[in-house]
Amino acid sequence: MRRCLDLARAAAQTELPVLILGESGTGKTLLARAVHNSSKRSSAAFVSFNAAALSDTLLDSQLFGHDKGAFTGAQKAVKGKFELAHGGTLFIDEIADLSPVAQAKILRAVEYGEFERLGSERLQVADVRLVSATHLPLVAYTETDRFRKDLFYRIGGITLTIPPLRERSEDLRALVEAEISAASRQQGKTVRGLSRPAADVIFSYPWPGNLRELKRVLHAAIAMTDGDSVPREAIALDVAPRRLAASAEAASPADGGPPLPAEPSVTDRGPDADLTLRAAEARHIRLVLDKMGGNKRRAARALGVSRSTLDRKLGT
Ligand SMILES: Nc1ncnc2c1ncn2[C@@H]1O[C@H](COP(=O)(O)OP(=O)(O)OP(=O)(O)O)[C@@H](O)[C@H]1O
Ligand SMILES: [Mg+2]
C-alpha cells in the first residue's frame, strides 16, 4: 500500500494518464480524487463519469455534449464531460465496461484531444488529464480483445494497483480504530474499541468487500453497541459459518472459536426486502435470541444492551 501511495504521489506531479486497478471497495475512486487533489490541476475541475452506467445512445451527448437542436428535445447546448473537465481531470470509472463503440470514440478524443458536440461540425478541443479505474482484469481483457490495446496503452501511463484489504493486515488495525471512533462520534456513542471476541472475528475475516465492507460492518456494529466495547454479536458478517470458520482457523488454528450464526445477505432478500436499520436490528436481535436458545437475559448481554432495552426493542 505504501508503494502504491508513493507511486500515486509521484504520478500526481506528472501529466501522465493514470490507471487505477484493485478489487471492488479498495478505494480506487477515493485515490483518483486524491491524485487530482495533489496535482497541478487541483484548482480546476475533477469530472467523473461511470462507464458501466453509460449506454451507447447516451454516450455522445454525455461525453461530448450537444448543440441546441441536435435532437428532438435538445433545447439548449449542453457541455459534455470532456469540455467540463477542460484544464482539470477527467475520471473514467469502471473503464473496462466501455462498449467497443465507446472505446473507439474515447480513443479518438484522448488521442487527439479533439471531438465534436453532437449536432455540430465544429471541432472542440479539451485539455484533460485522464484518470481511469476498474476492478476488472483489464490486461486479460486486452488479450481477448474485449478491450482495445491502443486505448489501454493510452490510459495506462502509470498504473496504480491497490492491494486488497486482506493483504494489508498492518493497516487493518489502524483502519478499524479510525472507523470505530468516526462511527461512534457520528452516532453519538462512546464506543472505545472491540471486545476480544469481536476483534478475533474482525482480524481473521478475509474482507472480500474490502474497505467498503469494513466500514459497513463497523458502522452497523456501533449502532448495535450500547457499552464502550463492541460485543462479538454486533459484528454481522454476510458469510456462511463454514467460510468464517475456515478463515478463523487459518489465522489461529489453535483457537478458531465457534462460528457466527449465518445471516443471509440483505442483497439476497429480493427486491422488496426491508432495508431499514430498524429491520436489520430486528433481524439481528432475533438471530442472537435464537442463538441463546430464547434466553433474553443472555441475549441482552450478548447484544451489549440492558434487559429493559431488549424488552423495549422486542416490544414486550
Ligand atoms: N484508506 C481509506 N481509509 C478510509 N476509508 C477508505 C479508504 N479507502 C477507501 N475508503 C472507503 O471505502 C469505500 C470504498 O471506496 P471506493 O469507493 O473508493 O472504492 P472503489 O475501489 O472505487 O470501489 P468500486 O470498485 O466498487 O468502485 C468508501 O466509502 C471510501 O470512502
Ligand atoms: Mg469506485
Side-chain angles (χ1 to χ4, degrees):
M1 190 65 207
R2 196 168 293 144
R3 232 182 3 252
C4 171
L5 290 177
D6 285 345
L7 192 55
R9 235 171 262 128
Q13 301 311 312
T14 72
E15 287 282 283
L16 291 168
V18 172
L19 173 63
I20 305 174
L21 302 176
E23 288 178 14
S24 190
T26 48
K28 297 182 295 298
T29 301
L30 205 66
L31 187 60
R33 200 169 268 283
V35 167
H36 170 76
N37 288 343
S38 22
S39 77
K40 284 189 290 251
R41 295 173 176 255
S42 60
S43 56
F46 176 85
V47 176
S48 64
F49 79 93
N50 190 312
L54 217 62
S55 71
D56 281 340
T57 38
L58 281 178
L59 181 85
D60 282 298
S61 92
Q62 281 236 0
L63 279 180
F64 309 119
H66 60 76
D67 265 359
K68 184 177 172 187
F71 47 84
T72 324
Q75 285 165 355
K76 56 181 185 355
V78 169
K79 285 186 180 177
K81 304 279 186 188
F82 268 91
E83 266 183 277
L84 291 170
H86 182 62
T89 304
L90 179 64
F91 175 47
I92 308 183
D93 208 356
E94 315 287 2
I95 193 159
D97 291 295
L98 286 174
S99 72
V101 175
Q103 290 176 34
K105 289 184 170 162
I106 288 180
L107 178 66
R108 178 178 164 236
V110 298
E111 190 113 276
Y112 303 106
E114 287 176 0
F115 55 91
E116 291 109 21
R117 280 186 186 167
L118 205 61
S120 160
E121 304 279 278
R122 197 155 47 89
L123 218 50
Q124 305 271 350
V125 195
D127 161 34
V128 302
R129 198 277 176 89
L130 208 64
V131 177
S132 331
T134 179
H135 66 282
L136 292 167
L138 199 58
V139 179
Y141 275 25
T142 61
E143 274 146 23
T144 55
D145 290 333
R146 274 176 80 168
F147 200 86
R148 300 176 65 120
K149 282 207 181 61
D150 44 9
L151 182 57
F152 175 73
Y153 294 130
R154 218 67 190 74
I155 60 171
I158 295 183
T159 301
L160 306 176
T161 305
I162 309 185
L165 192 52
R166 65 182 168 280
E167 289 172 15
R168 297 169 61 185
S169 52
E170 285 163 31
D171 289 352
L172 185 58
R173 208 159 278 279
L175 287 164
V176 167
E177 267 175 32
E179 220 46 64
I180 286 180
S181 70
S184 182
R185 204 170 44 243
Q186 275 168 24
Q187 299 181 29
K189 302 254 177 130
T190 53
V191 185
R192 303 166 65 85
L194 300 170
S195 66
R196 186 69 237 175
D200 285 345
V201 177
I202 293 284
F203 293 113
S204 58
Y205 182 65
W207 300 108
N210 294 295
L211 276 130
R212 181 176 297 115
E213 185 183 22
L214 178 70
K215 280 189 131 163
R216 179 172 55 76
V217 167
L218 289 178
H219 283 245
I222 299 301
M224 295 299 298
T225 302
D226 279 345
D228 64 358
S229 84
V230 178
R232 177 179 177 151
E233 286 72 18
I235 310 287
L237 287 165
D238 297 337
V239 284
R242 205 169 6 93
R243 178 134 166 234
L244 184 63
S247 70
E249 228 161 71
S252 60
D255 175 32
L260 271 186
E263 173 50 339
S265 165
V266 284
T267 51
D268 290 335
R269 288 171 189 271
D272 299 317
D274 188 348
L275 299 179
T276 59
L277 273 177
R278 183 186 292 275
E281 184 181 83
R283 280 197 297 271
H284 185 69
I285 290 173
R286 266 198 313 279
L287 204 73
V288 173
L289 203 54
D290 277 349
K291 189 182 171 202
M292 299 300 168
N295 183 323
K296 287 192 200 167
R297 192 178 47 81
R298 287 179 57 211
R301 182 154 8 109
L303 286 163
V305 300
S306 66
R307 172 66 196 266
S308 56
T309 302
L310 179 61
D311 281 337
R312 185 165 45 74
K313 288 185 186 292
L314 288 168
T316 53

